[in-house]
Amino acid sequence: MNILFVGDIFGSAGRHIVREHLPHVLETYQVDLLVINGENAAGGFGITPSIAEEIFDLGAHVITTGNHIWDKREIFEYMKVPADSHERGRRILRPANYTSTTPGFGFYQGQLADGTEYAVMNLQGRVFMSACDDPFRKVDELLSKITAKVILLDIHAEASSEKVALGWYLDGRVTAVLGTHTHIPTADERVLPGGTAFQTDVGMSGPYDSVIGVETELVLHRFLTGMPGKFEAAKGNPKMCAALIECDAATGRAYAIKRIMLGE
Amino acid sequence: MNILFVGDIFGSAGRHIVREHLPHVLETYQVDLLVINGENAAGGFGITPSIAEEIFDLGAHVITTGNHIWDKREIFEYMKVPADSHERGRRILRPANYTSTTPGFGFYQGQLADGTEYAVMNLQGRVFMSACDDPFRKVDELLSKITAKVILLDIHAEASSEKVALGWYLDGRVTAVLGTHTHIPTADERVLPGGTAFQTDVGMSGPYDSVIGVETELVLHRFLTGMPGKFEAAKGNPKMCAALIECDAATGRAYAIKRIMLGE
Amino acid sequence: MNILFVGDIFGSAGRHIVREHLPHVLETYQVDLLVINGENAAGGFGITPSIAEEIFDLGAHVITTGNHIWDKREIFEYMKVPADSHERGRRILRPANYTSTTPGFGFYQGQLADGTEYAVMNLQGRVFMSACDDPFRKVDELLSKITAKVILLDIHAEASSEKVALGWYLDGRVTAVLGTHTHIPTADERVLPGGTAFQTDVGMSGPYDSVIGVETELVLHRFLTGMPGKFEAAKGNPKMCAALIECDAATGRAYAIKRIMLGE
Amino acid sequence: MNILFVGDIFGSAGRHIVREHLPHVLETYQVDLLVINGENAAGGFGITPSIAEEIFDLGAHVITTGNHIWDKREIFEYMKVPADSHERGRRILRPANYTSTTPGFGFYQGQLADGTEYAVMNLQGRVFMSACDDPFRKVDELLSKITAKVILLDIHAEASSEKVALGWYLDGRVTAVLGTHTHIPTADERVLPGGTAFQTDVGMSGPYDSVIGVETELVLHRFLTGMPGKFEAAKGNPKMCAALIECDAATGRAYAIKRIMLGE
Ligand SMILES: [Fe+2]
Ligand SMILES: [Fe+2]
Ligand SMILES: [Fe+2]
Ligand SMILES: [Fe+2]
Ligand SMILES: [Fe+2]
Ligand SMILES: [Fe+2]
Ligand SMILES: [Fe+2]
Ligand SMILES: [Fe+2]
């Protein structure tokens, strides 16, 4: 069974490059399950219902997010669906370790056409990030509810240490632990000894002639002066970054992980 | 002209794997200039004079460091040498944007046997790190003093945004901007349009069956309980991570950058 | 009913000044319930069993702490007692919003000689502090278990905003919300409209000719150089800082709060 | 000679309470020099030219600010005046340890009607705040340019340790070191042994039925959910917080410091 996870789509450049490459990647690798992080899909900051629809139309089974999830408020209502729903609003996740009173859910369990059950979890790190619940205990709690064998975690976090630690913590218990948030792909993809595919960061799907998606000049101005200024999504040099995981659908054990970076 | 930059050596496992691979890498790629980050060489925390000597004996022209530079106090005296010296104590750098009253220097300019001048700069980031001087203005100040054309910067920083921004800021002004500190290599190595080789993080040279160098169980205990506990360097699965830069010795302009990860 | 809360005892200077003033303060104000924060009682960093005993011997019903609780490891065993115990090891608290697997407890409910029930809760803030559970939800959980009317909270936190917010959140639900951790007393003590006594920070009981307890020269060296160096407790100008709360024992409603600072 | 320093004016409630009390305070204490922190004067976030004019009209010689200085962009132009100017745009300060290319200045030296020279400096802390230059070295640099004996520093900082350390660092070198930014007055005002008046935080001049100025419900919503939401200035229970310093105009040495909190 093949799983494709696409890293944070950033702005229109990110949406275009993913739309361009996804069809042939899905076919080439015979992808069964598609998960896409969309936290920056709307101009770099958040995601709207119509952009979420656009990403689902590309074939995504689940959209994961991260700290930018609430940047566009239209998404609040879209995510207010019953826990046992399977509609699209239920399949866009916010980090599971946010306060339980926030809209939406942090994990989803579904079924592929062939009957294979799968689960996707989304967590946020705590090192160098705003306060949220303990991702280690939260993941234990989620796993106690999940019956699927094929399980993917998007750990949206800043610090390499926290993401790597979660990878080891979950080795043998989930199919893949994939990091997002730094917007730069790491070259450490591997299958850990217990059968969990791991990559510290999948990297963004967006414009790489930028500072992690934002127009370079705007970010440099901020660094050089400390003064405020609007951040805008860059356009140049778009690339789609993704991780392809091969696993045993019966056990959820990963066999291989492949890093993908596709440009124009 | 070929430059090899080796990422943070972590503990004895890191020293061993570098000692094992360096000779053939230096020969294979006909390396002219060798720079090694050694901030974690002594058991994962700092560097001692004897370990610095060991690294210089491997052929390093310059040793760079980062936030762990002061972990072993024996290094203070070793680094107290005159600014115009060329001895080894002058060629181990601490970040240049530390307070000027701290021991040692943050850049070094030297000459290869064939007369080619080169300079190495070391800076620390400010995002999610302890307070230090502005790396952007500091690098301008350093460049105004440097006469060499071949210039390498080790930017020791946590946030991808800060490292990427420095890369663009220096594009066309230096030969290479190479990130360190996260201990995970990134897959975004490239030559920027102005001729500066860039990689967000070169990754550590150390044990990858670990949490960024430290024994996994010890780090998990910290994450799971928040309680103190001694951190010890791991041993398993050592890899040497490095970046190889080809450049024009006359102009300092980079032609190519190659990511290297070598294990047992 | 009168409650005295003594702010973070810092080192031997703090222990001495508290020992000197406590007897007459307890008598003058006819204190019924005495709570002391002892997180810095052992040389400024943590607390040992013998120092805890010393503080209990002064008459403390409960010792609260904060982020320094684990600095001295001897305290781990001392705090490993059954939840329903009333011995001293049960009456030294760590923040309740630490992971449940850490030693000790974060609240205590007891009875005064006259049969009045009281409860003491200890929480840690999350703004500018290391990760812990949400203090707002945790306090709701604790309150749901507490039957006493007289309830005191030591909120150990850095940011004024977080402490003030907790004060308003709990107004009318507890007798007093008292901040600790900055080691400087604030002049904003008041009874909130709902009957909860509040002070953003009670201040430390320790040497005020210092930088929040530590020898001034050592801290200045750290600020001026960024280099490591051992921190030692200062001795000069000790003061005991405390808050005295008058409340109705039957309802737990506070009538008055008085800020106390007593020197040599 | 008497100096009055008024803490961060917060929103319209802060402006009103200061306008109400200032005339009689200035008269009662025969204030010679008036300095007001205005970083939150415009609805809690920044300051506009017209509000700056309003504060100068109240008699302020100098307006200091802090991290909120750039919240209202109209102030940029207002502050672009020559260094040797004495007009109002020159007498509103931003922290001196911001990058030199930002608008405005971080210190001002002027003369009172009787010919007494005075200087006001404004610095920002680095602990738990965004990156800026070293306040310790910056203050040394500023002092080397100042010829006045009467010198006041507004140190706008979060951490009590950093403000207290600066107080000791400058003891005997300036007339007063007064902290701002936490919006809660501290009860540790004193004249240090060398003759420098010190208070860790003067507190805000604004609505105290709030969370450090902002409507309580809005802040609680943020703490409880982590979700975004507009912050608005509260109105209830306004108080003017200030520090009154008596000093020798000839030597600049402080004799006394008095904490002031005046409500409706
Ligand atoms: Fe992102
Ligand atoms: Fe993110
Ligand atoms: Fe390192
Ligand atoms: Fe480092
Ligand atoms: Fe403390
Ligand atoms: Fe503390
Ligand atoms: Fe303020
Ligand atoms: Fe501020």
Side-chain angles (χ1 to χ4, degrees):
Chain A
M1 174 179 171
N2 297 316
I3 307 171
L4 187 75
F5 178 83
V6 177
D8 314 36
I9 294 185
F10 198 102
S12 60
R15 302 200 309 270
H16 294 152
I17 197 76
V18 170
R19 194 181 309 128
E20 188 183 325
H21 286 295
L22 208 47
H24 67 89
V25 170
L26 293 178
E27 197 188 324
T28 305
Y29 296 110
Q30 301 186 44
V31 171
D32 302 293
L33 174 60
L34 175 63
V35 179
I36 297 180
N37 185 306
E39 72 148 2
N40 310 105
F45 299 91
I47 185 168
T48 60
S50 69
I51 289 177
E53 291 287 321
E54 191 185 315
I55 295 174
F56 281 122
D57 287 345
L58 292 173
H61 294 86
V62 176
I63 296 175
T64 56
T65 62
N67 57 307
H68 284 290
I69 178 62
W70 309 131
D71 288 1
K72 297 284 180 284
R73 306 195 181 188
E74 306 91 293
I75 207 67
F76 298 4
E77 280 306 312
Y78 187 77
M79 293 173 68
K80 286 180 182 159
V81 295
D84 60 357
S85 162
H86 292 272
E87 57 182 302
R88 287 174 160 190
R90 181 63 187 77
R91 289 186 280 122
I92 172 168
L93 305 179
R94 45 97 177 145
N97 52 339
Y98 282 13
T99 300
S100 57
T101 55
T102 51
F105 299 91
F107 83 106
Y108 173 76
Q109 179 159 324
Q111 224 171 23
L112 296 178
D114 69 359
T116 308
E117 285 198 310
Y118 68 89
V120 178
M121 305 185 292
N122 198 180
L123 288 170
Q124 187 167 306
R126 299 205 291 187
V127 180
F128 310 133
M129 302 196 79
S130 57
C132 54
D133 292 345
D134 178 352
F136 291 85
R137 277 183 297 156
K138 177 56 77 173
V139 83
D140 284 342
E141 181 194 320
L142 295 181
L143 288 174
S144 73
K145 294 180 199 164
I146 288 173
T147 55
K149 296 294 182 186
V150 174
I151 306 172
L152 185 145
L153 167 64
D154 174 353
I155 168 64
H156 195 78
E158 178 69 35
S160 50
S161 60
E162 195 171 18
K163 293 191 264 194
V164 172
L166 255 172
W168 288 112
Y169 187 62
L170 295 173
D171 183 27
R173 301 165 68 195
V174 304
T175 307
V177 172
L178 300 170
T180 56
H181 180 65
T182 71
H183 289 195
I184 302 293
T186 58
D188 66 336
E189 72 282 0
R190 63 191 277 204
V191 178
L192 298 176
T196 295
F198 178 80
Q199 185 181 2
T200 296
D201 207 297
V202 173
M204 73 166 169
S205 295
Y208 276 78
D209 281 0
S210 71
V211 177
I212 64 170
V214 177
E215 274 292 353
T216 299
E217 287 312 311
L218 303 177
V219 179
L220 279 179
H221 183 260
R222 177 84 58 94
F223 273 117
L224 292 170
T225 67
M227 297 182 72
K230 200 170 156 43
F231 274 2
E232 284 179 25
K235 303 284 180 211
N237 192 22
K239 292 192 189 295
M240 174 176 120
C241 278
L244 181 78
I245 294 105
E246 279 179 67
C247 71
D248 179 339
T251 63
R253 192 180 171 102
Y255 293 140
I257 176 169
K258 179 183 167 63
R259 171 169 34 93
I260 291 171
M261 188 188 232
L262 296 168
E264 279 173 331
Chain B
M1 174 180 171
N2 298 316
I3 306 171
L4 187 76
F5 177 82
V6 177
D8 314 35
I9 295 184
F10 198 100
S12 59
R15 302 200 311 270
H16 293 153
I17 196 76
V18 170
R19 194 180 310 128
E20 185 183 327
H21 285 294
L22 208 48
H24 67 89
V25 170
L26 294 178
E27 198 188 324
T28 305
Y29 296 111
Q30 301 187 42
V31 171
D32 302 293
L33 174 61
L34 174 63
V35 180
I36 298 179
N37 185 306
E39 72 148 2
N40 309 106
F45 299 91
I47 185 168
T48 60
S50 68
I51 289 177
E53 290 288 321
E54 189 184 317
I55 295 174
F56 281 122
D57 287 345
L58 292 173
H61 293 86
V62 176
I63 296 173
T64 55
T65 61
N67 56 307
H68 284 290
I69 177 63
W70 309 132
D71 287 0
K72 296 284 180 285
R73 306 194 182 188
E74 308 90 293
I75 207 67
F76 298 4
E77 280 306 312
Y78 186 76
M79 293 174 68
K80 286 181 183 160
V81 296
D84 61 357
S85 162
H86 292 273
E87 58 182 302
R88 287 173 160 190
R90 180 64 185 79
R91 289 186 279 122
I92 172 169
L93 304 179
R94 45 97 177 147
N97 52 339
Y98 282 13
T99 300
S100 58
T101 54
T102 50
F105 300 91
F107 83 105
Y108 173 77
Q109 180 159 324
Q111 223 171 22
L112 297 178
D114 70 359
T116 307
E117 284 197 309
Y118 70 90
V120 178
M121 305 185 292
N122 198 180
L123 287 170
Q124 187 168 306
R126 301 205 289 186
V127 180
F128 309 133
M129 302 196 77
S130 57
C132 55
D133 291 345
D134 178 352
F136 291 85
R137 277 184 296 157
K138 177 56 76 173
V139 82
D140 284 341
E141 181 194 321
L142 294 181
L143 287 174
S144 73
K145 294 180 199 163
I146 288 173
T147 55
K149 295 293 182 188
V150 174
I151 305 172
L152 185 144
L153 167 63
D154 174 353
I155 168 63
H156 195 79
E158 177 69 34
S160 51
S161 61
E162 194 171 20
K163 294 191 263 194
V164 172
L166 255 172
W168 288 111
Y169 188 63
L170 295 174
D171 183 28
R173 301 164 68 194
V174 306
T175 306
V177 173
L178 301 170
T180 56
H181 180 65
T182 70
H183 290 193
I184 302 294
T186 58
D188 65 337
E189 72 282 1
R190 64 192 276 206
V191 178
L192 299 175
T196 295
F198 178 80
Q199 186 182 0
T200 296
D201 207 297
V202 173
M204 73 166 170
S205 295
Y208 276 78
D209 280 359
S210 71
V211 176
I212 65 169
V214 177
E215 275 292 353
T216 298
E217 287 312 311
L218 303 177
V219 179
L220 279 180
H221 182 259
R222 177 84 58 95
F223 273 116
L224 291 170
T225 67
M227 296 182 73
K230 201 170 156 44
F231 274 2
E232 283 179 26
K235 303 285 178 209
N237 192 21
K239 292 192 187 296
M240 175 176 120
C241 279
L244 181 79
I245 293 107
E246 280 179 67
C247 72
D248 179 338
T251 64
R253 192 180 171 102
Y255 291 140
I257 176 169
K258 181 183 167 62
R259 172 168 34 94
I260 291 171
M261 188 187 234
L262 297 168
E264 278 174 332
Chain C
M1 172 179 172
N2 297 315
I3 306 171
L4 187 75
F5 178 83
V6 177
D8 315 35
I9 294 186
F10 197 100
S12 60
R15 302 200 311 269
H16 293 153
I17 196 76
V18 170
R19 195 180 309 129
E20 187 183 326
H21 286 295
L22 208 49
H24 67 89
V25 170
L26 293 178
E27 197 187 324
T28 305
Y29 296 111
Q30 301 187 42
V31 170
D32 301 293
L33 174 61
L34 174 63
V35 179
I36 298 179
N37 185 306
E39 73 149 2
N40 309 106
F45 299 91
I47 185 168
T48 60
S50 68
I51 289 177
E53 291 286 321
E54 190 185 316
I55 295 174
F56 281 122
D57 287 345
L58 292 173
H61 293 86
V62 176
I63 296 174
T64 56
T65 62
N67 57 307
H68 284 289
I69 177 62
W70 309 131
D71 288 1
K72 297 282 181 285
R73 304 191 184 191
E74 307 92 293
I75 207 67
F76 297 4
E77 281 306 312
Y78 186 76
M79 293 173 69
K80 286 180 182 159
V81 295
D84 61 358
S85 162
H86 292 273
E87 58 181 301
R88 287 174 161 191
R90 181 62 187 79
R91 289 186 279 122
I92 172 168
L93 305 178
R94 45 98 177 145
N97 52 339
Y98 282 13
T99 300
S100 58
T101 55
T102 50
F105 299 91
F107 83 106
Y108 173 76
Q109 179 160 324
Q111 223 171 23
L112 296 179
D114 69 0
T116 307
E117 284 197 309
Y118 69 90
V120 178
M121 306 184 291
N122 197 179
L123 287 170
Q124 187 168 306
R126 301 205 290 186
V127 180
F128 310 134
M129 301 195 79
S130 57
C132 54
D133 291 345
D134 179 352
F136 292 85
R137 276 183 297 155
K138 177 56 75 173
V139 83
D140 284 341
E141 181 195 320
L142 295 181
L143 287 174
S144 73
K145 295 181 198 162
I146 288 173
T147 56
K149 296 293 184 186
V150 174
I151 306 171
L152 185 144
L153 167 64
D154 174 352
I155 168 62
H156 195 79
E158 178 69 36
S160 51
S161 60
E162 195 171 18
K163 293 191 264 194
V164 172
L166 255 173
W168 288 112
Y169 187 63
L170 295 174
D171 183 28
R173 301 165 67 195
V174 305
T175 306
V177 172
L178 301 170
T180 55
H181 180 65
T182 71
H183 289 193
I184 302 294
T186 58
D188 65 337
E189 72 282 0
R190 63 191 278 205
V191 178
L192 299 175
T196 295
F198 178 79
Q199 186 181 2
T200 296
D201 207 297
V202 172
M204 73 166 170
S205 295
Y208 276 78
D209 281 359
S210 71
V211 176
I212 63 169
V214 177
E215 274 291 355
T216 299
E217 287 312 310
L218 303 177
V219 179
L220 279 180
H221 182 260
R222 177 84 59 95
F223 272 117
L224 292 170
T225 66
M227 296 182 74
K230 201 171 155 44
F231 275 4
E232 284 178 25
K235 304 285 179 208
N237 192 22
K239 292 192 189 295
M240 175 176 121
C241 279
L244 181 78
I245 294 104
E246 281 178 66
C247 71
D248 179 339
T251 64
R253 193 180 171 102
Y255 292 140
I257 176 169
K258 180 183 167 63
R259 172 170 32 94
I260 291 171
M261 188 189 233
L262 296 167
E264 278 174 331
Chain D
M1 174 179 170
N2 297 317
I3 306 171
L4 187 75
F5 177 83
V6 177
D8 314 35
I9 295 185
F10 197 101
S12 60
R15 301 200 311 271
H16 293 153
I17 196 76
V18 169
R19 194 180 310 127
E20 186 183 327
H21 285 295
L22 208 48
H24 67 89
V25 170
L26 293 178
E27 198 187 325
T28 306
Y29 296 110
Q30 300 186 42
V31 171
D32 301 293
L33 174 61
L34 175 62
V35 179
I36 297 180
N37 185 306
E39 73 148 2
N40 309 105
F45 300 91
I47 184 168
T48 60
S50 69
I51 289 176
E53 290 288 321
E54 191 185 316
I55 295 174
F56 280 124
D57 287 345
L58 292 173
H61 293 86
V62 176
I63 296 174
T64 55
T65 61
N67 56 309
H68 283 290
I69 178 62
W70 308 132
D71 288 0
K72 297 282 181 286
R73 306 194 182 189
E74 308 91 292
I75 206 67
F76 297 4
E77 280 307 310
Y78 187 76
M79 293 174 69
K80 287 181 182 159
V81 296
D84 61 357
S85 163
H86 291 273
E87 57 181 302
R88 287 174 160 190
R90 181 63 186 78
R91 289 186 279 121
I92 171 168
L93 305 178
R94 46 97 177 145
N97 51 339
Y98 282 12
T99 301
S100 58
T101 55
T102 51
F105 299 90
F107 83 105
Y108 173 76
Q109 178 160 327
Q111 223 171 24
L112 297 177
D114 69 358
T116 307
E117 284 196 309
Y118 70 89
V120 178
M121 305 184 292
N122 198 179
L123 287 171
Q124 187 168 306
R126 300 205 290 186
V127 180
F128 309 134
M129 301 196 78
S130 58
C132 54
D133 292 344
D134 179 352
F136 291 85
R137 278 184 296 157
K138 177 56 76 172
V139 82
D140 284 342
E141 182 195 319
L142 295 181
L143 287 174
S144 74
K145 294 180 197 163
I146 288 172
T147 55
K149 295 294 184 188
V150 174
I151 306 171
L152 184 144
L153 167 64
D154 175 351
I155 168 63
H156 195 78
E158 178 68 37
S160 51
S161 61
E162 194 170 19
K163 294 192 263 194
V164 171
L166 255 173
W168 289 111
Y169 187 63
L170 295 173
D171 183 27
R173 301 165 67 194
V174 306
T175 306
V177 172
L178 301 169
T180 56
H181 180 65
T182 70
H183 289 192
I184 302 294
T186 58
D188 66 336
E189 72 281 1
R190 64 192 277 205
V191 178
L192 299 176
T196 295
F198 178 79
Q199 185 181 3
T200 296
D201 206 297
V202 173
M204 73 166 170
S205 295
Y208 275 78
D209 281 359
S210 71
V211 177
I212 65 169
V214 177
E215 274 292 353
T216 298
E217 288 312 311
L218 303 177
V219 179
L220 280 179
H221 182 260
R222 178 84 58 94
F223 272 116
L224 291 170
T225 67
M227 297 183 72
K230 201 170 156 43
F231 274 2
E232 284 179 27
K235 303 284 178 208
N237 192 21
K239 293 193 188 295
M240 175 177 120
C241 279
L244 181 80
I245 294 107
E246 281 179 66
C247 71
D248 180 338
T251 63
R253 192 181 172 102
Y255 292 140
I257 176 169
K258 180 182 167 64
R259 172 169 32 95
I260 291 171
M261 188 188 233
L262 297 168
E264 279 175 330

